[in-house]
Amino acid sequence: MAKKRITPHSVRVRIYSVHQYATRSVRVFFEITNKGKVPIRVAKRYTPLEGLLHDSLIVKRNGKVIEYDGLHAKRLAASPAEMLELKPDQSKSAEVDLSQGYSLQKGGNITVAFKRKNLKIEVPGASNTPIKVSTPVAKFRVAPLPKASPRLTIGERDRQMAQIALETNPTEVPLLPIIEGSNGRDQIIIDAHRACFENCDNANVNINANPERYATWFGERTGDRVDQVRGVYQDILSRMRGIRFTYKCNSDDQCGGDVIASTSKGSSTIYLCAQFWNLDPSGSESQVGCLVHEHSHASGGTIDIPKDGGGLGPQYYRDLASENPNQAVSCAYNFEYYAVS
């Protein structure tokens, strides 16, 4: 029998658990292997190689998809330093706790697959060469836990804290936030917090007053899409009036090298990373814009929609609005740029 021919550029993505019946934490390994004959470069961004900073996996329990409930991060544009070089037959792996991003309290039969669209691969000197990627599905069981011993996602944990932060008497202006670890820079955060509220208020008003600006960032108007955009900004304003948000600075668990800030859906906590302090106070790619971005995640339930494993920037999100307005009205970057432009 003839030996099966291996294509020159082939990559295997493998997810596996060393425990076939996980108890409390649900730890899995994510591994990428270069199965081709030449070196390749692989982006860590939007893969579990950098941890769970994005919805990069399809996790199912007993055949039903589990919604991602982990961190959503505002990030710097991708840089060449994020690329890993893999020689032929070389692998790179990382261990992550699935239960931090996917609710597994009930346990059951679990399957995990990687979202292939998130993977960016380069073959030096052969940019147009197709790359075969195999992504087998991992299967294992997870033990259920009693309510007295919860296995909480980051989102579930942060929403519990949000209930504690809820004020009984909402105001017409944003409540003064709680700030931890700013090293004397509280006023910078307070100013950005207030400006975030003002920009979101203006953005909400301008949805009807400035249709050209709306079209630039959210595309063709329909009643449902306009209602969705207005709903996100109104949810941001309502929660900033009724919840004392907490800004935690330089949290190791929530900050990677390129992460500016992060939060989770329904949270009252926003994590500000070292890169936040390098932003301008206002304008595009600013501290104010960053807070609009994170509040749209926390209060409006928006998501991040990356381009080709890492592309960012205003022009990409203008194009997204034009080409796919249904995605634009769910994307945190579009809400950010609309509010600060």
Side-chain angles (χ1 to χ4, degrees), residues 172-193:
E172 289 303 311
V173 295
L175 292 170
L176 194 68
I178 299 167
I179 300 171
E180 299 178 5
S182 75
N183 292 325
R185 294 174 285 191
D186 287 19
Q187 193 60 48
I188 292 174
I189 298 173
I190 291 170
D191 290 345
H193 181 78

Side-chain angles (χ1 to χ4, degrees), residues 217-256:
W217 296 109
F218 297 114
E220 183 181 0
R221 295 173 72 97
T222 66
D224 288 346
R225 287 199 287 262
V226 169
D227 287 346
Q228 184 172 341
V229 171
R230 182 178 287 110
V232 169
Y233 284 119
Q234 289 179 347
D235 285 344
I236 293 172
L237 296 170
S238 176
R239 292 187 83 227
M240 291 183 78
R241 291 184 182 112
I243 291 176
R244 289 197 69 193
F245 275 83
T246 296
Y247 293 100
K248 293 188 177 183
C249 303
N250 304 324
S251 175
D252 291 341
D253 293 337
Q254 285 75 22
C255 292

